[in-house]
Amino acid sequence: MTSRRDFLKAASKASLGFCLVLDHGKILLAQDALGNSDFSFNPFISINTNGQVTFVNPNPDLGQGSSQASAALIAEELEVSLDKVKVIFSSGQANEGAQIAGGSGAVRRSWEQLRQAGAAAKEMFLRAAAETWEMSDSQCKAQNGEVINLNTKARLSYGELVEKARTLPIPEKPKLKNKEQFTIIGKATKRSDVLERITGKMQYGIDVTVPDMLYAAVLHSPTIIGKLQSYDDKEALKVNGVVAVVPCKRTMPYSSFDALAVVADSYWSALKGRRALKGVWGKEGDHLDTDIYFKKLY
Amino acid sequence: MGKYNLNINGKQQTVDCDADMPLLWILREKLGITGTKFGCGIAMCGACTVHLNGQPTRSCQLPVFQIGKSTITTIEGIAPSENKLHPVQEAWQAHQVPQCGYCQSGQIMTAVAFLKNNPKPKMEEISAAMSGNLCRCGTYDRINQAVKHASDLLTK
């Protein structure tokens, strides 16, 4: 496993251009953040020498579109088109900080900080271009991933400016756009992930495999809190592919309930094994019984 | 265990499996064709819908021994070519239908079969035809609009 120190070193190498880290609302360059022992390196934004912007998103998104909204916050202030911001998700490791989805908070929580990071990077590109052309920032304009020299109409792309920009101080208070200046935020934008979701190519949790993977299908009590009294796994273990039957717990906040896991070399075998498994359950909570409920459905 | 020859998306495939193995799991686990999804496993939700001889079929409840020489089409097999979408998929894209998208392979397969039988449906007919495919994200309205749009694309 890569430590965050190694990761940041790699991320702040020249090949990646420059990398902004948001540490408790403060914007830092990745290489400066290395010295800070308690920071978590998420979210962060890197911009490489091709001008490709990568946003490592700490907020899981299963289709609600918050990742695109977050990318829009960056793109808006950074002055790049939305398709220039590639979103990848953080890996779930503890050292990547809080990685949560909930309470409709992904955009609300990052509304200021992602915009500020975008704006800070844009100001650094402006400064880098202005220094190159030996003029003031106000004679330059950032637009669509480039800085334009308003006097000569010359252009320098963010990719070309990355090396210089990363050596400059990070603006303390980058200036944010006002609402009337928005061209991406608040506008209808097409989602980038529709194609894979309508062609069967999108990878979901159920589609992931790893070498020598086993699958488990869990048998629960038909009542919500029924305790396991005994079980018979003789038939389940005869099913092709079933490896083991393991008593386990369904853990819920403040409580946990008995369950039985059928472990097999394929999901189908696990499901078939579960069908052949017999559990004897107590009557606890029998005012709601899924066996009875399903019988009523058919 | 036995050997079964299946015609899937125009290609002949041989699988070695139990006679009661459902088509869904043959696709997903024997052949690695994973666009078809497992939802409820009891033919209630429609996520696993494929075509059997052009008819929408719940693959989670179709054991391999019943398939015989029937042709099977999955979400991977409806587009006319690599770079071109089926008109129903085009309509799905135009209406930005999916949210999480997990049910959408099944939704699309149901819609494709429906429009073959009823190329110019009324909105109520679309709603009724699609009502057996559940969507937890609640994209029903966009689904209905997209089926209408696909009907226009297919009959123009």
Side-chain angles (χ1 to χ4, degrees):
Chain A
M1 201 174 68
T2 323
S3 74
R4 71 177 177 192
R5 189 165 291 267
D6 293 340
F7 184 88
L8 283 171
K9 273 186 185 156
S12 56
K13 284 252 173 70
S15 63
L16 261 173
F18 85 106
C19 178
L20 287 177
V21 182
L22 296 160
D23 181 20
H24 304 106
K26 203 166 179 297
I27 306 162
L28 300 170
L29 274 178
Q31 64 263 37
D32 298 333
L34 279 169
N36 183 350
S37 59
D38 76 335
F39 100 102
S40 59
F41 66 67
N42 231 338
F44 81 78
I45 301 157
S46 72
I47 304 163
N48 73 9
T49 48
N50 295 322
Q52 168 77 56
V53 183
T54 304
F55 167 48
V56 179
N57 185 1
N59 302 119
D61 174 6
L62 301 176
Q64 296 89 337
S66 73
S67 58
Q68 181 147 330
S70 298
L73 301 180
I74 299 165
E76 181 73 65
E77 297 289 350
L78 183 58
E79 298 294 353
V80 297
S81 59
L82 190 51
D83 59 8
K84 273 275 158 52
V85 183
K86 185 176 153 198
V87 180
I88 58 174
F89 290 94
S90 59
S91 70
Q93 302 293 340
N95 64 2
E96 291 177 38
Q99 295 154 79
I100 53 168
S104 302
V107 176
R108 207 168 27 183
R109 274 192 307 272
S110 52
W111 172 250
E112 284 273 322
Q113 58 168 2
L114 289 182
R115 287 175 60 208
Q116 274 171 352
K122 179 192 75 181
E123 288 182 11
M124 290 161 83
F125 286 126
L126 276 172
R127 188 86 276 276
E131 279 187 15
T132 307
W133 290 321
E134 293 176 341
M135 60 203 301
S136 80
D137 297 12
S138 62
Q139 292 169 291
C140 303
K141 188 186 173 191
Q143 187 183 308
N144 201 18
E146 292 179 320
V147 179
I148 302 165
N149 181 328
L150 293 175
N151 295 341
T152 65
K153 307 292 173 218
R155 289 156 188 268
L156 281 168
S157 73
Y158 285 179
E160 290 170 298
L161 290 167
V162 150
E163 285 305 307
K164 192 170 179 66
R166 69 197 286 262
T167 64
L168 299 172
I170 298 172
E172 284 274 321
K173 286 199 168 77
K175 194 170 177 307
L176 300 181
K177 285 180 167 178
N178 59 41
K179 200 168 91 179
E180 290 70 34
Q181 295 170 302
F182 288 164
T183 57
I184 302 171
I185 294 173
K187 308 284 185 283
T189 46
K190 293 269 181 192
R191 291 177 51 157
S192 60
D193 57 0
V194 165
L195 185 65
E196 54 192 337
R197 293 185 202 271
I198 60 173
T199 49
K201 290 187 179 132
M202 182 80 196
Q203 196 183 45
Y204 295 88
I206 197 172
D207 304 318
V208 175
T209 55
V210 294
D212 301 322
M213 177 162 159
L214 294 174
Y215 295 77
V218 178
L219 184 69
H220 297 288
S221 166
T223 68
I224 189 162
I225 53 174
K227 289 196 175 74
L228 182 66
Q229 298 185 326
S230 64
Y231 65 94
D232 176 359
D233 60 7
K234 217 171 84 205
E235 294 305 312
L237 289 169
K238 282 186 198 161
V239 170
N240 269 336
V242 171
V243 174
V245 174
V246 188
C248 60
K249 293 282 182 188
R250 172 169 61 105
T251 53
M252 301 289 282
Y254 312 115
S255 53
S256 85
F257 304 103
D258 291 348
L260 283 168
V262 180
V263 182
D265 63 5
S266 74
Y267 203 166
W268 161 239
S269 295
L271 291 170
K272 196 175 168 187
R274 183 175 66 177
R275 238 172 30 208
L277 179 64
K278 288 182 194 73
V280 179
W281 304 89
K283 291 282 173 207
E284 299 86 358
D286 66 357
H287 57 284
L288 186 62
D289 183 316
T290 44
D291 282 349
I292 295 169
Y293 180 78
F294 273 111
K295 273 183 199 130
K296 280 187 194 160
L297 279 180
Y298 292 103
Chain B
M1 299 281 267
K3 270 203 189 340
Y4 297 88
N5 290 312
L6 302 173
N7 182 326
I8 301 168
N9 297 331
K11 206 172 133 194
Q12 209 63 36
Q13 308 250 30
T14 306
V15 289
D16 212 354
C17 64
D18 289 336
D20 65 346
M21 188 167 188
L23 175 60
L24 170 68
W25 297 107
I26 290 174
L27 293 169
R28 293 187 54 84
E29 300 199 315
K30 293 280 178 187
L31 301 170
I33 304 172
T34 56
T36 306
K37 296 300 180 211
F38 168 60
C40 65
I42 52 174
M44 296 285 281
C45 76
C48 68
T49 305
V50 300
H51 293 174
L52 199 68
N53 295 330
Q55 293 303 310
T57 303
R58 307 273 154 118
S59 63
C60 77
Q61 290 293 300
L62 181 67
V64 65
F65 76 87
Q66 285 182 3
I67 296 172
K69 289 196 187 319
S70 303
T71 59
I72 297 152
T73 311
T74 71
I75 187 72
E76 290 89 350
I78 55 169
S81 72
E82 267 297 284
N83 309 314
K84 200 162 158 44
L85 295 174
H86 186 280
V88 170
Q89 288 170 311
E90 281 175 15
W92 244 246
Q93 195 171 41
H95 288 263
Q96 300 271 294
V97 172
Q99 186 174 310
C100 89
Y102 194 82
C103 72
Q104 299 295 343
S105 297
Q107 304 280 3
I108 290 168
M109 295 312 283
T110 299
V112 168
F114 167 63
L115 288 171
K116 258 187 207 149
N117 293 328
N118 189 349
K120 281 270 177 201
K122 296 194 192 81
M123 219 35 166
E124 305 84 76
E125 295 173 316
I126 294 173
S127 238
M130 299 306 297
S131 68
N133 285 72
L134 305 185
C135 171
R136 276 298 302 272
C137 301
T139 61
Y140 299 113
D141 188 54
R142 292 203 293 274
I143 288 171
N144 291 348
Q145 300 295 335
V147 176
K148 188 90 187 103
H149 183 182
S151 146
D152 295 340
L153 291 177
L154 284 158
T155 53
K156 76 178 174 200

